[in-house]
Amino acid sequence: MQLNEIKPGLQYKLLSQTGPVHAPMFVMAVEVNGQVFEGSGPTKKKAKLHAAEKALRSFVQFPNASEAHLAMGRTLSVNTDFTSDQADFPDTLFNGFETPVPSDASFYLGSNGDGSFSSSGDYGLPSSAIASSLCQSPLPAPSPYPSASGKNPVMILNELRPGLKYEFLSESGESHAKNFVMAVAVDGQTFEGSGRNKKLAKARAAQSALASLFNMQLDQTPSRQPIPSEGLQLHLPQVLADAVARLVVDKFSDLTENFTSPHARRKVLAGIVMTTGTDVKDALVISVSTGTKCINGEYMSDRGLALNDCHAEIISRRCLLKFLYAQLELYLSNKEDQQKSIFIKSERGGFKLKENVQFHLYISTSPCGDARIFSPHEAAQEDQGDRHPNRKARGQLRTKIESGEGTIPVRSTTTIQTWDGVLQGERLLTMSCSDKIARWNVLGIQGALLSLFVEPIYFSSIILGSLYHGDHLSRAVYQRIAEIEDLPPLYTLNRPLLSGISNAEARQPGKAPNFSVNWTVGDTDLEVINATTGKDEMGRASRLCKHAFYSRWMRIHAKLSSSLRSKIKPNLYHETKQGATEYQTAKECLFKAFLKAGLGAWVEKPIEQDQFSLTV
């Protein structure tokens, strides 16, 4: 049936019939574009089906879409640009992919890509046809299988592999955002799918099998496609994205008694997951956090005791810093523990991550600022990406509003915030999450202090639970500063994998709570912080505050070899950070890149808040 939709009017011939009357074996053949494909089976119908399947399979073995279409007797212009606004290829290419607008329980996949989880046998090697088809192009060429005719993945898979059994694996999530997981075994491999109901989960399991075994992608919405990393890609993008999201949500469920604790209330959830190889099953949740608010200016601390920014993704990155300090302490404690640490000695002096250690940032929605302002809704089926990429508002640096939500563009002239100005009532400005993530993609996530000990560390993936728009997110987190110049050695413009998840998270109803929670691997409980004061409800400093980190930094500094120690003389917090000369040079390059692109000037906090020393 699928073959007939591509090439109508094909004639099947019976080549032979063998075997006894009670168990005959038929061989049927079909000719497509001069090539003959044979199939055998206990009935003529099954033999025909096998012949058709072989013909279809031949189309997807080609390295690119144009060769596959050539095999089907269609031609494409030689230099087809699938990302172009002006399509220079024939409409016939997409005719098979026009799908009706899906209902809420649509089977045309939720957020993007092939959906779902797969068994470890399905991760594939980067050299395989499967991995390359999923990892190479941000806007993949459509598969020659048509997804029109209103068929969902379960029906299509059933035509190719009749009689499959689906198994219900698990149910999780909050009452208003349930998540079901179904599995199906095809050709000896198990494929999983998740969704807000069993029907959708089943469809996503089928879609996972179709994508992996038959290279069929049913969702061709450009804005929903994962954008691959320029670095080492150890996992299939969609498999990784769904696994990371599920790990973070499940950990948050564990920490909040299955979302029943009062501190489970949240607008945004973020977390960081670490992988140490190609198997997502070995992934470890490093941090989980919530929050959407910033400190009120009057509560700023001049001793580094308050958290300025309690947005979930910012807090998760501070949790990662805490983990990095713990891993350095582990390395420096004794020879036995050195092996357990994620760090090894660097040839350049100091430390670097072991090979294949990767960090993946999950945020339940698009980060505030440039990534979110133009992505208020989920990408629709007909959404062809950003229709106005050159508008002046695109890419502008933006600041969060003190004691509120949302962001505003920075002023065109450099804004210097002063301590006394803020204390007298000037609104404290904090850069948006989109801007901070772009900064981490240049300076690394380790910050200035740790850069004195370790080489820059970058996120390998940024995964969004909802409102994923590939074009807006890529612009916000690296594309707008693509012209950055003169970065010092080891610093680069990092382009991580960007992806949504198969089962986009439901919008969290209600008013945003005033608290932020955080947990880092090794902690027994969540810490609850009042976002307005930057401290806990008892007025105590957070375990993530600058003072706490500087204390740990000083202890590590004291344990280092004298050669490393002599390069750095601890002093005021601000001066120690300034001592990280290569980091500071990279920061200047970043600020210049924003200015040169006409996107505004970075707004820094009043300098007085970093003028503290430690009384250890």
Side-chain angles (χ1 to χ4, degrees):
M1 199 165 175
Q2 298 289 319
L3 184 62
N4 197 47
E5 284 172 6
I6 296 173
K7 302 287 286 181
L10 292 172
Q11 298 296 311
Y12 290 83
K13 283 183 193 158
L14 174 65
L15 292 188
S16 67
Q17 180 183 341
T18 54
V21 180
H22 65 279
M25 182 59 69
F26 298 92
V27 178
M28 301 290 289
V30 63
E31 188 178 323
V32 185
N33 296 335
Q35 249 186 307
V36 177
F37 299 92
E38 291 180 15
S40 59
T43 64
K44 288 180 186 175
K45 193 176 176 184
K46 284 197 173 163
K48 257 170 95 170
L49 196 68
H50 280 143
E53 190 187 312
K54 278 185 185 171
L56 280 169
R57 271 181 178 277
S58 74
F59 297 154
V60 295
Q61 297 308 316
F62 296 90
N64 56 49
S66 54
E67 289 192 29
H69 279 270
L70 219 56
M72 290 188 284
R74 299 179 188 171
T75 53
L76 286 170
S77 61
V78 183
N79 300 313
T80 300
D81 176 9
F82 287 97
T83 65
S84 167
D85 287 339
Q86 267 66 48
D88 60 350
F89 38 82
D91 289 342
T92 52
L93 175 58
F94 290 112
N95 283 351
F97 300 91
E98 294 298 327
T99 50
V101 177
S103 66
D104 188 43
S106 156
F107 295 115
Y108 298 102
L109 301 202
S111 219
N112 53 38
D114 65 355
S116 71
F117 307 78
S118 306
S119 69
S120 56
D122 181 39
Y123 293 130
L125 298 167
S127 57
S128 74
I130 298 163
S132 61
S133 73
L134 288 179
C135 297
Q136 294 311 310
S137 161
L139 303 177
S143 149
Y145 290 88
S147 68
S149 69
K151 283 184 195 162
N152 68 56
V154 177
M155 282 172 74
I156 295 170
L157 186 61
N158 195 51
E159 283 176 10
L160 297 167
R161 293 286 183 276
L164 294 172
K165 295 270 191 294
Y166 290 80
E167 190 188 343
F168 171 59
L169 292 188
S170 68
E171 177 185 336
S172 60
E174 298 155 81
S175 57
H176 63 277
K178 281 278 181 216
N179 190 48
F180 296 88
V181 181
M182 301 289 287
V184 63
V186 189
D187 295 353
Q189 291 186 56
T190 303
F191 299 91
E192 293 180 15
S194 63
R196 69 179 75 89
N197 54 47
K198 288 180 186 174
K199 206 171 175 184
L200 196 51
K202 200 170 153 183
R204 289 192 175 128
Q207 170 57 31
S208 187
L210 290 169
S212 192
L213 299 175
F214 302 97
N215 195 28
M216 286 176 70
Q217 296 291 341
L218 299 198
D219 185 349
Q220 295 302 325
T221 308
S223 293
R224 291 189 197 158
Q225 304 307 319
I227 299 179
S229 160
E230 283 202 348
L232 182 66
Q233 186 74 58
L234 295 173
H235 314 91
L236 288 182
Q238 200 61 53
V239 172
L240 175 74
D242 288 346
V244 165
R246 196 159 86 171
L247 284 165
V248 172
V249 172
D250 286 353
K251 176 54 73 178
F252 187 56
S253 171
D254 293 347
L255 292 164
T256 56
E257 286 121 51
N258 200 20
F259 311 110
T260 58
S261 135
H263 296 122
R265 222 161 46 86
R266 51 94 183 180
K267 276 281 185 194
V268 180
L269 170 70
I272 292 168
V273 170
M274 178 176 76
T275 54
T276 50
T278 54
D279 197 339
V280 181
K281 287 189 171 66
D282 300 330
L284 176 70
V285 180
I286 301 299
S287 67
V288 172
S289 57
T290 67
T292 56
K293 296 192 177 172
C294 292
I295 195 169
N296 191 307
E298 66 188 275
Y299 291 104
M300 278 192 313
S301 169
D302 58 0
R303 291 190 296 140
L305 297 172
L307 295 178
N308 291 324
D309 187 341
C310 280
H311 281 233
E313 51 270 59
I314 308 306
I315 293 295
S316 255
R317 180 257 177 181
R318 289 198 75 76
C319 292
L320 176 58
L321 291 180
K322 182 166 169 268
F323 173 72
L324 296 177
Y325 277 114
Q327 289 295 307
L328 273 177
E329 288 161 356
L330 188 67
Y331 186 94
L332 296 166
S333 55
N334 60 56
K335 278 274 188 285
E336 215 174 282
D337 287 338
Q338 261 185 28
Q339 302 303 313
K340 297 177 193 165
S341 173
I342 60 169
F343 286 109
I344 52 172
K345 279 252 168 72
S346 163
E347 316 78 58
R348 298 167 56 94
F351 306 92
K352 65 178 182 180
L353 287 181
K354 282 179 179 169
E355 202 181 0
N356 290 351
V357 171
Q358 294 190 334
F359 295 108
H360 312 277
L361 173 65
Y362 169 75
I363 317 168
S364 62
T365 188
S366 54
C368 70
D370 189 50
R372 188 187 301 165
I373 195 105
F374 306 107
S375 311
H377 309 291
E378 293 296 343
Q381 196 80 23
E382 66 280 1
D383 188 349
Q384 290 298 310
D386 189 358
R387 290 195 181 90
H388 313 286
N390 301 319
R391 282 194 177 162
K392 195 175 181 308
R394 300 291 195 265
Q396 290 292 316
L397 288 173
R398 305 177 74 87
T399 58
K400 298 164 185 169
I401 298 169
E402 180 191 304
S403 307
E405 291 180 81
T407 58
I408 51 171
V410 297
R411 294 190 193 133
S412 49
T413 52
T414 305
T415 305
I416 296 171
Q417 302 196 86
T418 61
W419 186 266
D420 44 356
V422 170
L423 291 182
Q424 282 168 25
E426 261 187 46
R427 272 197 155 180
L428 180 67
L429 301 177
T430 302
M431 297 305 294
S432 74
C433 293
S434 291
D435 300 335
K436 289 187 177 185
I437 294 170
R439 176 182 170 130
W440 301 338
N441 276 333
V442 173
L443 305 183
I445 46 191
Q446 78 294 325
L449 282 184
L450 273 174
S451 73
L452 289 160
F453 302 150
V454 304
E455 292 182 3
I457 297 168
Y458 296 103
F459 281 127
S460 295
S461 321
I462 298 170
I463 292 149
L464 301 190
S466 63
L467 301 187
Y468 170 78
H469 288 245
D471 38 14
H472 293 306
L473 185 63
S474 59
R475 180 193 61 243
V477 302
Y478 59 73
Q479 207 57 53
R480 56 184 167 154
I481 43 172
E483 303 300 312
I484 194 165
E485 297 170 323
D486 305 324
L487 285 169
L490 299 179
Y491 288 90
T492 184
L493 176 57
N494 177 49
R495 291 174 165 90
L497 162 73
L498 305 177
S499 180
I501 61 173
S502 302
N503 185 29
E505 182 181 282
R507 188 168 164 269
Q508 298 297 314
K511 192 169 174 285
N514 211 31
F515 59 80
S516 159
V517 304
N518 70 76
W519 173 89
T520 311
V521 63
D523 291 340
T524 48
D525 294 307
L526 286 172
E527 177 182 66
V528 184
I529 297 296
N530 178 336
T532 304
T533 64
K535 295 180 180 177
D536 74 7
E537 291 300 350
M538 310 288 288
R540 292 172 302 205
S542 166
R543 55 197 179 193
L544 304 177
C545 72
K546 292 176 182 178
H547 193 281
F549 285 172
Y550 196 31
S551 300
R552 293 183 85 160
W553 186 91
M554 293 280 269
R555 288 201 296 275
I556 289 169
H557 179 262
K559 286 184 182 177
L560 289 175
S561 62
S562 52
S563 61
L564 262 174
R565 253 202 340 265
S566 62
K567 292 181 192 167
I568 319 150
K569 295 274 188 288
N571 206 318
L572 293 178
Y573 177 79
H574 173 73
E575 286 172 16
T576 305
K577 283 171 81 169
Q578 289 301 312
T581 49
E582 288 194 340
Y583 180 93
Q584 297 300 338
T585 304
K587 189 163 85 168
E588 287 310 309
C589 295
L590 172 74
F591 292 174
K592 272 185 202 154
F594 277 120
L595 278 170
K596 203 171 160 189
L599 304 175
W602 193 277
V603 181
E604 302 212 66
K605 293 277 194 308
I607 195 169
E608 290 85 352
Q609 70 165 9
D610 286 350
Q611 305 280 6
F612 66 90
S613 58
L614 290 185
T615 45
V616 185

